[in-house]
Amino acid sequence: MSNTQQLEDFVTQVRRDIVRQVHKVNSGHPGGSLGCAEFISVLYQEVMDRKEGFDMDGKGEDLFFLSNGHISPVFYSVLARSGYFPVEELSTFRLIDSRLQGHPTTHEGLPGVRVASGSLGQGLSVAIGAANTKKLNGDNHLVYSLHGDGELQEGQNWEAIMYAAAKKVDNLIATVDRNHQQIDGCTDDVLPMGNLVQKFEAFGWDVLELENGNNISQVREALKEAKGRTGKGKPVAIIMTTEMGHGVDFMMGSHKWHGVAPNDEQLEKALAQNPETLGDY
Amino acid sequence: MKKYTNTGSKDTRSGFGDGLTELGKTNPNVVALCADLTGSLKMGDFEKNHPERFFQVGIAEANMMGIAAGMTIGGKIPFTGTFANFSTGRVYDQIRQSIAYSDKNVKICASHAGLTLGEDGATHQILEDIGLMKMLPGMTVINTCDYNQTKAATIAIAEHHGPVYLRFGRPKVANFTPEDQTFEIGKAVLLNEGKDVTIIATGHLVWEALQAAEQLEEKGISAEVINIHTIKPLDEAAILASVGKTGCVVTAEEHNFLGGLGESVARTLVLNQPAPQEFVATMDTFGESGTPEQLMEKYGLNAAAIVKASEKVIKRK
């Protein structure tokens, strides 16, 4: 997909899927999901070199790992609309006997998911491992990962950040969703993390700043630039500023919609702001 | 009773290291990860022979477990190596989510388990790891008894798809199982037939169980000795058949009696054919510094303790 209008339509439909999924079961995480709709859509629709179908080993294709698993609604929507499983299955989100668990898992065999995530801070290590194996297999494809900014408060990340630079894991592009929000409030109030660009650089990463992760053109540019910087001896990080709840005016910019579902009236408002484009499930 | 000979004391961790060396030659998909304990885990040969397949992660066990999980994607078979304490308790959530729940083919290889780590003391002497690991759905839990068995187990688990916890130890202990053995995951090994009491032992306590059986024989007591190297899945049929014959059981392990082999055996018996049982294990306590022999004596984990427990359990029949 290269047409910007098509991609914008895709993102709008993903937003509808997100709010509809969480509304139906009155649970889930809409805020971070909406904020990452552009990024994950661009990644799957334009950037990643993906094979038809799904197999766990993923040889000969790019891989993606979602570390902040609570934004499963956006992940599920993009996976379904990228052909990994039927779009209708989004209606089973968080229901009993569903493959669409509250947080993504391999346990129920959902195509597109390669590791469970939800307990925070583990995805970067897993992505590094997958990148190591790509190198051992002589597979030149890349590994992408996405992390919440609050998630970086988990210490395992810094073990992984140190390792990836020291061991020159340069087939990896890790993106941090810098929305400055976490459950208890603004990240600067809960536990300030300082300058993340400088921190990644100090650990030896090649770092890009993406000023507006809710702007499709900017996301495209940043991912293109990041791809160009792989294979040069350093892991690549994108510090991506986004707005939590982007695209739904009453959810935007507030931690209050981190893990709260809209009621019937709020759903109608959210959907009115994101008219149906590709067809609801 | 059947006689077992110590062919020369060796540490079980060397069995792991030599097994890994063997796998390096025979299985190109095997990779090894270590958290700054290459010498202690005897992983040096693998590192030397296959530097491209050896990953030194530094003192960062959580990262090691995550990297190991990720490396399975694309067909590698990662063996992680560090002390049992840092292989389990320190990284429980990483193992739970990224390995066990994600059904990743990672082999968690844990040395220096239990009291026989010795002088380093309780901070390093984990006595809860079997419990932690056996509670994870899908996890296979193995505790080997000597060098030969540890080497055979190391080679065998590479052929088994799914997460495995392989537990072994630091000190030199009797090496008495066959050099050319076939290691069957989940299959109990009957070491000695007897009729008065069943002794079920795992890890370093297996040799002690054989010594105990000899001492019991001198007292006119016939003890059946079973080596349970695989605690999960447990060979319930072998346990039930033996206890069905003897009518009572002593379990012996270098682990807390809460959560260990003994509890798994008790559960099996309670559900099928209740019988008196005595536990040779640590009694909900931490360890301390000392030589391995002193510690095993003080905490009641030796042949003498097994003899005493056997005499007691026979009276309870």
PDB file of all heavy atoms in Angstrom, chain A residues 7 10 63 70 103 107 112-113 199 221 244 253:
ATOM      1  N   LEU A   7      -3.888   4.498   3.098  1.00  0.00           N
ATOM      2  CA  LEU A   7      -3.317   4.209   4.408  1.00  0.00           C
ATOM      3  C   LEU A   7      -4.075   4.956   5.508  1.00  0.00           C
ATOM      4  O   LEU A   7      -4.325   4.422   6.588  1.00  0.00           O
ATOM      5  CB  LEU A   7      -1.824   4.579   4.427  1.00  0.00           C
ATOM      6  CG  LEU A   7      -1.030   4.003   5.588  1.00  0.00           C
ATOM      7  CD1 LEU A   7      -1.196   2.493   5.685  1.00  0.00           C
ATOM      8  CD2 LEU A   7       0.440   4.331   5.430  1.00  0.00           C
ATOM      9  N   PHE A  10      -7.083   3.056   6.181  1.00  0.00           N
ATOM     10  CA  PHE A  10      -6.729   1.860   6.954  1.00  0.00           C
ATOM     11  C   PHE A  10      -6.637   2.218   8.436  1.00  0.00           C
ATOM     12  O   PHE A  10      -7.226   1.557   9.298  1.00  0.00           O
ATOM     13  CB  PHE A  10      -5.392   1.305   6.436  1.00  0.00           C
ATOM     14  CG  PHE A  10      -4.993  -0.012   7.044  1.00  0.00           C
ATOM     15  CD1 PHE A  10      -5.312  -1.215   6.425  1.00  0.00           C
ATOM     16  CD2 PHE A  10      -4.270  -0.063   8.237  1.00  0.00           C
ATOM     17  CE1 PHE A  10      -4.938  -2.434   6.973  1.00  0.00           C
ATOM     18  CE2 PHE A  10      -3.901  -1.280   8.803  1.00  0.00           C
ATOM     19  CZ  PHE A  10      -4.227  -2.466   8.162  1.00  0.00           C
ATOM     20  N   LEU A  63      10.323  -9.523  11.150  1.00  0.00           N
ATOM     21  CA  LEU A  63       9.516  -9.899  12.314  1.00  0.00           C
ATOM     22  C   LEU A  63       9.198  -8.670  13.156  1.00  0.00           C
ATOM     23  O   LEU A  63       9.966  -7.705  13.172  1.00  0.00           O
ATOM     24  CB  LEU A  63      10.281 -10.910  13.191  1.00  0.00           C
ATOM     25  CG  LEU A  63      10.778 -12.189  12.535  1.00  0.00           C
ATOM     26  CD1 LEU A  63      11.523 -13.051  13.551  1.00  0.00           C
ATOM     27  CD2 LEU A  63       9.616 -12.978  11.944  1.00  0.00           C
ATOM     28  N   HIS A  70      -0.322  -4.651  26.286  1.00  0.00           N
ATOM     29  CA  HIS A  70      -1.669  -4.162  26.623  1.00  0.00           C
ATOM     30  C   HIS A  70      -2.304  -3.389  25.473  1.00  0.00           C
ATOM     31  O   HIS A  70      -3.506  -3.193  25.461  1.00  0.00           O
ATOM     32  CB  HIS A  70      -1.640  -3.299  27.886  1.00  0.00           C
ATOM     33  CG  HIS A  70      -0.724  -2.122  27.811  1.00  0.00           C
ATOM     34  ND1 HIS A  70       0.623  -2.224  28.085  1.00  0.00           N
ATOM     35  CD2 HIS A  70      -0.937  -0.825  27.492  1.00  0.00           C
ATOM     36  CE1 HIS A  70       1.184  -1.032  27.944  1.00  0.00           C
ATOM     37  NE2 HIS A  70       0.264  -0.165  27.572  1.00  0.00           N
ATOM     38  N   HIS A 103      -4.109  -9.872  26.594  1.00  0.00           N
ATOM     39  CA  HIS A 103      -2.771  -9.538  26.122  1.00  0.00           C
ATOM     40  C   HIS A 103      -2.344 -10.619  25.122  1.00  0.00           C
ATOM     41  O   HIS A 103      -2.694 -11.785  25.295  1.00  0.00           O
ATOM     42  CB  HIS A 103      -1.792  -9.467  27.293  1.00  0.00           C
ATOM     43  CG  HIS A 103      -2.092  -8.343  28.250  1.00  0.00           C
ATOM     44  ND1 HIS A 103      -3.085  -8.437  29.207  1.00  0.00           N
ATOM     45  CD2 HIS A 103      -1.567  -7.104  28.377  1.00  0.00           C
ATOM     46  CE1 HIS A 103      -3.148  -7.296  29.891  1.00  0.00           C
ATOM     47  NE2 HIS A 103      -2.233  -6.468  29.408  1.00  0.00           N
ATOM     48  N   HIS A 107      -0.227 -18.939  22.933  1.00  0.00           N
ATOM     49  CA  HIS A 107      -0.802 -20.136  23.539  1.00  0.00           C
ATOM     50  C   HIS A 107      -2.042 -20.635  22.804  1.00  0.00           C
ATOM     51  O   HIS A 107      -2.281 -21.844  22.742  1.00  0.00           O
ATOM     52  CB  HIS A 107      -1.160 -19.824  24.992  1.00  0.00           C
ATOM     53  CG  HIS A 107      -1.248 -21.029  25.867  1.00  0.00           C
ATOM     54  ND1 HIS A 107      -0.164 -21.835  26.131  1.00  0.00           N
ATOM     55  CD2 HIS A 107      -2.281 -21.587  26.525  1.00  0.00           C
ATOM     56  CE1 HIS A 107      -0.528 -22.816  26.916  1.00  0.00           C
ATOM     57  NE2 HIS A 107      -1.803 -22.699  27.173  1.00  0.00           N
ATOM     58  N   GLY A 112       0.346 -14.556  13.677  1.00  0.00           N
ATOM     59  CA  GLY A 112       0.888 -13.204  13.744  1.00  0.00           C
ATOM     60  C   GLY A 112       1.586 -12.899  15.056  1.00  0.00           C
ATOM     61  O   GLY A 112       2.367 -11.966  15.139  1.00  0.00           O
ATOM     62  N   VAL A 113       1.298 -13.698  16.084  1.00  0.00           N
ATOM     63  CA  VAL A 113       1.919 -13.458  17.401  1.00  0.00           C
ATOM     64  C   VAL A 113       3.012 -14.505  17.631  1.00  0.00           C
ATOM     65  O   VAL A 113       2.764 -15.696  17.474  1.00  0.00           O
ATOM     66  CB  VAL A 113       0.869 -13.535  18.529  1.00  0.00           C
ATOM     67  CG1 VAL A 113       1.521 -13.237  19.879  1.00  0.00           C
ATOM     68  CG2 VAL A 113      -0.271 -12.555  18.266  1.00  0.00           C
ATOM     69  N   LYS A 199      19.937   8.794  26.560  1.00  0.00           N
ATOM     70  CA  LYS A 199      20.190   7.533  27.269  1.00  0.00           C
ATOM     71  C   LYS A 199      20.506   6.405  26.282  1.00  0.00           C
ATOM     72  O   LYS A 199      21.472   5.662  26.452  1.00  0.00           O
ATOM     73  CB  LYS A 199      19.002   7.159  28.155  1.00  0.00           C
ATOM     74  CG  LYS A 199      19.003   7.990  29.422  1.00  0.00           C
ATOM     75  CD  LYS A 199      17.962   7.588  30.424  1.00  0.00           C
ATOM     76  CE  LYS A 199      18.214   8.425  31.698  1.00  0.00           C
ATOM     77  NZ  LYS A 199      17.080   8.501  32.589  1.00  0.00           N
ATOM     78  N   GLU A 221       8.714   8.201   6.896  1.00  0.00           N
ATOM     79  CA  GLU A 221      10.073   8.726   6.745  1.00  0.00           C
ATOM     80  C   GLU A 221      11.009   8.135   7.786  1.00  0.00           C
ATOM     81  O   GLU A 221      12.126   7.729   7.486  1.00  0.00           O
ATOM     82  CB  GLU A 221      10.054  10.262   6.871  1.00  0.00           C
ATOM     83  CG  GLU A 221       9.669  10.982   5.604  1.00  0.00           C
ATOM     84  CD  GLU A 221      10.473  10.507   4.393  1.00  0.00           C
ATOM     85  OE1 GLU A 221      11.726  10.610   4.456  1.00  0.00           O
ATOM     86  OE2 GLU A 221       9.877  10.011   3.426  1.00  0.00           O
ATOM     87  N   MET A 244      -1.416   9.837  23.325  1.00  0.00           N
ATOM     88  CA  MET A 244      -2.287   8.761  23.791  1.00  0.00           C
ATOM     89  C   MET A 244      -3.731   9.116  23.412  1.00  0.00           C
ATOM     90  O   MET A 244      -4.148  10.265  23.548  1.00  0.00           O
ATOM     91  CB  MET A 244      -2.156   8.612  25.289  1.00  0.00           C
ATOM     92  CG  MET A 244      -2.749   7.336  25.818  1.00  0.00           C
ATOM     93  SD  MET A 244      -2.520   7.193  27.603  1.00  0.00           S
ATOM     94  CE  MET A 244      -1.675   5.653  27.723  1.00  0.00           C
ATOM     95  N   GLY A 253      -4.456  12.682  24.809  1.00  0.00           N
ATOM     96  CA  GLY A 253      -3.508  13.323  25.712  1.00  0.00           C
ATOM     97  C   GLY A 253      -3.727  13.082  27.190  1.00  0.00           C
ATOM     98  O   GLY A 253      -3.149  13.785  28.009  1.00  0.00           O
TER      99      GLY A 253
END
